[in-house]
Structures are given as C-alpha cells and as structure tokens.
Amino acid sequence: MIEEGSRSSKATVEKRQLFMEMRAQNFDVIRLSTYRTACKLRFVQKRCNLHLVDVWNMIEAFRDNGLSTLDHSAEINVSRLETILSSIFYQLNKRLPTTHQINVEQSIGLLLNFMVATYDSEGHGKLTVFSMKSMLATMCGGKIVDKLRYIFSQISDSSGTMVLAKFDQFLREVLKLPTAVFEGPSFGYTEHSVRTCLPQQKKILLNTFLDVMMADPPPQCLVWLPLMHRLANVENVFHPVECSYCRSESMMGFRYRCQQCHGYQLCQNCFWRGHASGPHSNQHQMKEHSSWKSPAKKLSHAISKSLGCVPMGEPPHPVFPEASERPQDPAHPPQPKPASSGMSDTALLTAGPPTPTSSTLESPSRLDEEHRLIARYAARLAAEASNSTQCPPADLSFNFDANKQQRQLIAELENKNREILQEIQRLRLEHEQASQPTPEKAQQNPTLLAELRLLRHRKDELEKRMSALQESRRELMVQLEGLMRLLKDEEQKTAQSGGSPHSSPSHSASCTMPMPIRSTSAGSTPTHTPQDCLAGVGDDVLDAFSQGVPRNLRNDLLVAADSITNTMSSLVKELHSVDDGLEDEEVNVRNGRDKVSAPRHYGNRHSTPSF
C-alpha cells in the first residue's frame, strides 16, 4: 500500500509538472483556437519526445508487444502500458547518437500520466487498445499521410472500405486530446462530427479518406491535426522580412501577408496575438507562408507558370491502389502485388517507408516492397509526364488511354525486375557451383594417375640411392684421410733414414682400401682440384691436393674423388629431371588433360651442384 501510494503521488506530481510547464509557455494568449490547440499539443509531443518516434516505429512496437492481434475493445492495465512505452523509448535511444540521448524514465513518466489523465479520467486504471493506438499514432512524429494510412487500416474492413462506426469511435478517442489541453469547447466530440467530416457516400476508400483529411480546409473538428504538422515543419524556417508591427528584422516559423494591405506582413507571434497597426485590421484576409522566395525567384516561377513549364498543381498525397491487402503471414509470404488501402499493422510495417534496394537477392517481403516502389514510382512518372505535356483539348485519346498506359508501364517494370532477380539467382548458382570442389579428375583419366604413381616411386628410389651414395662418399673420405696420414708417416720415416720419398711405395701398396665404384658417366680426370668435395676432410688430404708437386697415389685419389663427384652430379641431374616431370604430371592431372606433356627422358635442365 505504501508503494502504491508513493507511485500515485509521483504520478500526480509528474502530471502537474507537464501542465505547469505548458501554462508557462503562455499559449492562452493566442487569439485563434486552432493555433492555440496545435501549439499546446505540439508542446506535449516535444516534451514527451514523441516527435522523435515516427509511425513506423509505433507499428513495430505494437507488433512486438502483441497488440496487433488484440481486439480494439480489449483493455490493458497501466503496468502493461508502461511496459509498451518503455520499449518504445528504449528502442528510440538505441537509434539516437550518444550525444542526443533522451531521459527515458522522464519521458515514460510524462507520457504515461498524460495518457492516463486523457483516457482514464474516472480512474479505472485501464485503457482500451484502440485508445492507445489512436493517441500514439496521432501524437507521434512522421508524415501525416503515413499516420492517416495507418488510422484508415484500423477503421476499415478486409475489403478496404471504411466502417463508419469505427471512424466515429476514432473521433471520440482523438478528440479527447484537445480536451486534455483545455480546448474541449472548441474541438470536443459531438454526434454530428462524422457527418461533418465525410461526404454522404455509401463506400469510402483510402484515397477518399485522404482527400477529406488533407483537404484545404480540413474537417472542422480535426483542423488542428494538419496545423500541428505544419508547425513542426516551419519551426526552423527563416524569413528575411521585417514584421510590420513589432519591426523585427527577421521572422522564424510562419509568415503572414495581408491580401488587402500592400506589403503588410506579420510574424507568427504578432498574428497569433491579433496585433495590427496602421490601416490593417484583424478582419483582413491573411495568407500563411511557410517558406521564403526572393522576388527574382517569384518572377521566374510566374514566367514559367505562364508559359506552361510548371505543372498547375500536384495532389496533396500520393494516389494508392484501391485493392485491399491481407495481413501477411511470416510462414507463407504473399506474392508480389501493389500496395493497398486496407492494411494491418504487420502489412503496414512491411510496406514501410521507401528504402534503397540492394543488388543481392532479398527476402520475399523485400521483393514485395520493391514491386510496390516500382509501381509507385511508375505512377509518379506517368503523372508528371501527363502534367508536363500540354495536349490540345481535341486529343482525347491520350486521356482515355492514360490509365491503360500506366498499367502497361507498371507491368513492364515488374517483369523487368523479375527477370533481373532471376538472372541474379542464376549467376549466384553458377558461382556456387564453380566454387565447390569438382569430382576427382584423375578418375576420368586412370593412365595419368598410374604414370604419376610410377614417377613418385622413381623419385623415392633415387632419393634412397642418393642417400646411400652420400654415405659411401663420407666413408671413402675417411679412408682417404687415413691413407694420407700413412703416406705422411712413411715420408717422415724415409726422410729420417735418408732415402728418397719416391723409392719405397711398399707401404702404400700394402695398405688395403676399398676401391670406389666408377660411374659410367665419369670421364677423364679433371685438371682442376675439386675443393668442394673435400669440405669437412682433414688437413692432410687438403695438403695433398694443394701442393703443386705430384705425390704417390695422388692421381688415384683424384680419380676416386672425381668418380664420386661425377656420380653424385649425375644422380642430382636425374633427381631434378624426375621432379620436373612429376610437377608437369601433376599440372596435367589438375587440368584434366588426356596425355602427359612431361618428357619421357630426363635431360640436364639445371646446373649440377658441387659436392
């Protein structure tokens, strides 16, 4: 009980705070009730930050909170209403930059108390779904034509025809807003409000509803609604004109020009308060201007209009097809069709504000939106072409066939778009097939696979043979080093005994050592010293080959070393040739060729490394 009492007192304080701030703006000094009501509701809209949320975000919030499937007469309590408002403003903060974040808790509190004070004056603690939707759709930001389209979707049947009883209920709910800001005597609901708004017709579709609501002037009971949107559009408009009453050198917002007094212009504050000076009177007819045009631009526009270069007039809203649109089932998306009048929350959210299309494939809902945009754009092009082309009155065939040509143009654009999407799908499939691994091409050519296995086997054998020869070479070098050591010892003994170094080769002959295997490719003994093949050998062997005077067994040692070197060179040549052939075979296998382009014999393609 204590918690509920504190919450109630907090709500009362927030409610009084909003109305005290509104009264501090001194809107009651505005002479005309239409401007006074529009200014007050615009203040509430901005104070609650509803001007930052457009109708498409509202529809999305209704859908996310499960309101799209509820009956209009269903009631929701204040706690659930607070949850819905929290989702709206928290999603708004996610869309806003960090430098423009709003106070979510304050916005929720102000709007919640304003809605409860407006639609639950008896204190039941509940609001109907239709009351909440009507209020939020009317007070949110965005274009008025989008709001009216959504409102029509809530008061029309499945065939796209407005139900008068639902429209009467909408007027009851929406006219509670002027009453909440103390303007009920001027714009309160009456039993004759429906008959004063709509023409006496049996069937009212979307375009008729928009024509009535956006006419000039609009219905008397809703005249404040389009004015509130015009106020939002001109808040930052600058007019470099002096006010004829307050002598301000510039104007912001609306500018009013007298139709009787030449050059007499008033700013919006002076006009709203009924100020007048000189021969001007408040009874004179004033024209409202929401933008500024220089005299030169006015002259050029007048000349272009007189020459027929400027269209005489544009419709206040786009013309929509009259066919109805069913709610879309996410599990079974509909086929592409034009936008229509009778739409649910989900359908309106899908057919939301125009967005740029991408070159990739889209979901069915995005494809549906593309067709709608194409149809809308084609209708606009056809309308501009018909307005800019000044045809003689006798040529009635063009007017007779205009609708037929527009339908043909729309059909051609839709077919072209469908063909483009099919081509994108085909290219994507081809790209996926090309990027996937293809079947083993070697299975298509077993001969290449067999030759490849033979080459790899030959390569393994040559590598084993090369390893064995390297091991034999290392052993032979060790034996050569031992032999040179023995020769050196023999020379030292001979020198000590006074004999000749060449007279006694008995020791060298008696020393047994394995003779090196000569390769068939070994030629005569080379004249240069193979220094590379003696890397890692002892100093005695190096001295034997570096001295210029021939010594015993030196020629045999040179022949043995040269034989080993030539054998290793021949082996390396053959190994490189096998590697090249193996690479060529692998390339041919990858390319799917039927014949092997690698050579069947192995030539000397690379220089022989020294050992």
Side-chain angles (χ1 to χ4, degrees):
M1 297 295 294
I2 297 176
E3 183 179 356
E4 292 181 357
S6 61
R7 182 181 300 177
S8 177
S9 60
K10 180 180 179 181
T12 304
V13 171
E14 291 177 345
K15 176 183 175 182
R16 291 178 179 176
Q17 176 186 356
L18 179 63
F19 288 104
M20 288 177 63
E21 292 179 0
M22 184 179 65
R23 289 182 177 177
Q25 299 295 321
N26 202 17
F27 291 126
D28 291 330
V29 299
I30 298 177
R31 180 171 56 95
L32 301 176
S33 60
T34 304
Y35 288 95
R36 190 168 59 245
T37 304
C39 289
K40 290 181 178 180
L41 292 178
R42 174 63 178 170
F43 173 79
V44 174
Q45 182 191 47
K46 295 181 65 177
R47 189 66 182 83
C48 297
N49 290 314
L50 277 175
H51 66 294
L52 302 175
V53 185
D54 60 14
V55 67
W56 308 108
N57 301 129
M58 286 296 179
I59 296 173
E60 184 178 3
F62 297 159
R63 183 198 62 183
D64 294 341
N65 290 275
L67 300 180
S68 301
T69 57
L70 294 179
D71 188 74
H72 285 173
S73 59
E75 294 182 343
I76 57 176
N77 53 27
V78 178
S79 60
R80 185 175 181 184
L81 176 60
E82 185 177 3
T83 303
I84 296 171
L85 297 181
S86 300
S87 66
I88 292 174
F89 286 111
Y90 277 112
Q91 289 296 327
L92 172 62
N93 251 2
K94 292 180 180 179
R95 295 189 298 269
L96 293 176
T98 55
T99 56
H100 293 76
Q101 297 287 301
I102 64 171
N103 190 338
V104 175
E105 298 297 333
Q106 186 180 24
S107 300
I108 294 172
L110 292 175
L111 182 57
L112 179 64
N113 288 286
F114 179 76
M115 294 180 66
V116 170
T118 303
Y119 294 100
D120 188 30
S121 57
E122 298 180 0
H124 296 298
K126 294 182 179 181
L127 279 76
T128 63
V129 174
F130 189 71
S131 299
M132 187 197 64
K133 285 186 175 181
S134 300
M135 186 271 175
L136 292 178
T138 304
M139 293 294 293
C140 68
K143 297 180 180 180
I144 186 173
V145 64
D146 296 331
K147 294 183 181 181
L148 294 176
R149 284 183 63 196
Y150 174 71
I151 292 171
F152 186 83
S153 69
Q154 302 300 303
I155 61 176
S156 60
D157 55 16
S158 58
S159 63
T161 304
M162 190 182 71
V163 181
L164 292 179
K166 292 183 178 181
F167 179 66
D168 181 72
Q169 184 183 2
F170 167 72
L171 288 180
R172 289 176 184 269
E173 302 298 338
V174 77
L175 291 179
K176 290 180 181 179
L177 292 174
T179 304
V181 293
F182 315 107
E183 296 296 334
S186 300
F187 300 104
Y189 172 80
T190 62
E191 297 179 355
H192 306 286
S193 298
V194 177
R195 284 180 287 179
T196 58
C197 289
L198 299 174
Q200 299 299 322
Q201 294 180 346
K202 295 182 179 180
K203 185 177 181 181
I204 298 177
L205 302 178
L206 173 61
N207 291 321
T208 306
F209 177 75
L210 295 177
D211 289 338
V212 172
M213 293 299 164
M214 302 183 68
D216 189 14
Q220 183 59 33
C221 61
L222 296 174
V223 68
W224 51 270
L225 181 58
L227 179 58
M228 185 176 68
H229 287 80
R230 295 204 307 272
L231 281 173
N233 294 331
V234 302
E235 283 182 348
N236 298 320
V237 175
F238 175 76
H239 305 269
V241 181
E242 182 183 7
C243 178
S244 300
Y245 181 83
C246 65
R247 299 302 176 184
S248 175
E249 296 182 357
S250 60
M251 303 180 187
M252 294 293 293
F254 286 118
R255 174 172 55 91
Y256 297 89
R257 182 166 56 87
C258 182
Q259 300 296 299
Q260 298 182 17
C261 304
H262 178 71
Y264 193 88
Q265 302 188 79
L266 294 176
C267 62
Q268 65 178 17
N269 291 330
C270 295
F271 176 75
W272 288 354
R273 287 161 176 77
H275 295 162
S277 60
H280 178 71
S281 172
N282 289 330
Q283 304 301 323
H284 292 178
Q285 184 179 2
M286 304 289 288
K287 185 176 181 180
E288 181 183 279
H289 295 273
S290 58
S291 61
W292 163 256
K293 291 183 180 180
S294 62
K297 186 177 293 186
K298 290 181 181 179
L299 179 61
S300 62
H301 182 77
I303 295 175
S304 301
K305 188 174 182 180
S306 62
L307 296 177
C309 300
V310 178
M312 297 302 294
E314 296 182 358
H317 63 84
V319 179
F320 299 96
E322 302 295 350
S324 62
E325 179 175 325
R326 301 289 183 180
Q328 296 184 2
D329 186 3
H332 303 284
Q335 297 296 327
K337 56 186 177 180
S340 61
S341 55
M343 287 182 283
S344 64
D345 295 355
T346 307
L348 268 176
L349 183 61
T350 306
T355 55
T357 58
S358 62
S359 59
T360 58
L361 291 178
E362 305 291 346
S363 61
S365 60
R366 291 295 304 274
L367 296 179
D368 202 21
E369 173 63 16
E370 287 183 4
H371 287 286
R372 294 194 191 99
L373 293 176
I374 292 173
R376 195 178 304 170
Y377 185 65
R380 184 184 301 174
L381 290 178
E384 291 178 357
S386 61
N387 289 332
S388 60
T389 305
Q390 301 295 330
C391 60
D395 190 9
L396 300 179
S397 60
F398 177 77
N399 295 330
F400 181 76
D401 296 337
N403 293 332
K404 182 178 180 180
Q405 293 178 0
Q406 291 179 9
R407 290 193 297 269
Q408 291 178 353
L409 180 59
I410 292 172
E412 291 176 359
L413 291 175
E414 290 180 350
N415 293 333
K416 187 65 176 177
N417 184 53
R418 201 173 294 112
E419 292 176 359
I420 293 174
L421 294 177
Q422 292 176 357
E423 182 68 16
I424 293 174
Q425 178 70 17
R426 185 184 64 81
L427 293 176
R428 172 170 290 182
L429 292 177
E430 290 181 357
H431 177 70
E432 292 177 354
Q433 293 176 358
S435 60
Q436 290 178 355
T438 58
E440 293 295 330
K441 297 181 179 179
Q443 297 178 359
Q444 302 176 2
N445 197 343
T447 305
L448 295 177
L449 185 60
E451 293 183 0
L452 181 61
R453 284 198 294 264
L454 291 175
L455 288 173
R456 288 178 178 173
H457 181 67
R458 178 62 174 168
K459 179 183 178 182
D460 295 338
E461 291 180 353
L462 291 175
E463 288 179 351
K464 293 179 180 178
R465 181 182 173 188
M466 182 176 179
S467 300
L469 288 176
Q470 287 178 348
E471 185 66 24
S472 300
R473 174 180 176 271
R474 186 164 48 252
E475 294 177 356
L476 183 59
M477 290 295 112
V478 173
Q479 293 177 3
L480 288 174
E481 187 177 2
L483 181 59
M484 294 300 298
R485 189 177 297 110
L486 291 175
L487 291 174
K488 186 176 181 180
D489 294 341
E490 183 65 23
E491 289 177 357
Q492 290 177 358
K493 292 179 180 180
T494 304
Q496 292 175 0
S497 61
S500 174
H502 299 284
S503 62
S504 180
S506 59
H507 286 78
S508 62
S510 63
C511 295
T512 60
M513 60 173 290
M515 295 300 294
I517 301 174
R518 293 180 178 268
S519 173
T520 56
S521 63
S524 60
T525 304
T527 57
H528 64 279
T529 302
Q531 297 293 341
D532 294 336
C533 66
L534 300 177
V537 183
D539 297 336
D540 295 335
V541 178
L542 294 177
D543 293 339
F545 284 97
S546 63
Q547 292 178 6
V549 180
R551 300 177 61 179
N552 291 334
L553 299 180
R554 183 176 301 174
N555 292 334
D556 293 337
L557 293 176
L558 287 174
V559 170
D562 184 59
S563 176
I564 294 174
T565 303
N566 292 334
T567 302
M568 296 298 295
S569 300
S570 177
L571 181 60
V572 171
K573 292 178 183 179
E574 189 173 0
L575 185 59
H576 281 301
S577 300
V578 171
D579 290 337
D580 294 338
L582 186 59
E583 293 177 358
D584 293 339
E585 291 294 335
E586 291 177 350
V587 171
N588 293 333
V589 170
R590 287 195 299 268
N591 294 334
R593 297 178 183 176
D594 296 333
K595 295 182 179 181
V596 180
S597 61
R600 293 295 180 264
H601 63 280
Y602 310 102
N604 185 10
R605 296 176 53 188
H606 301 279
S607 62
T608 303
S610 301
F611 288 90

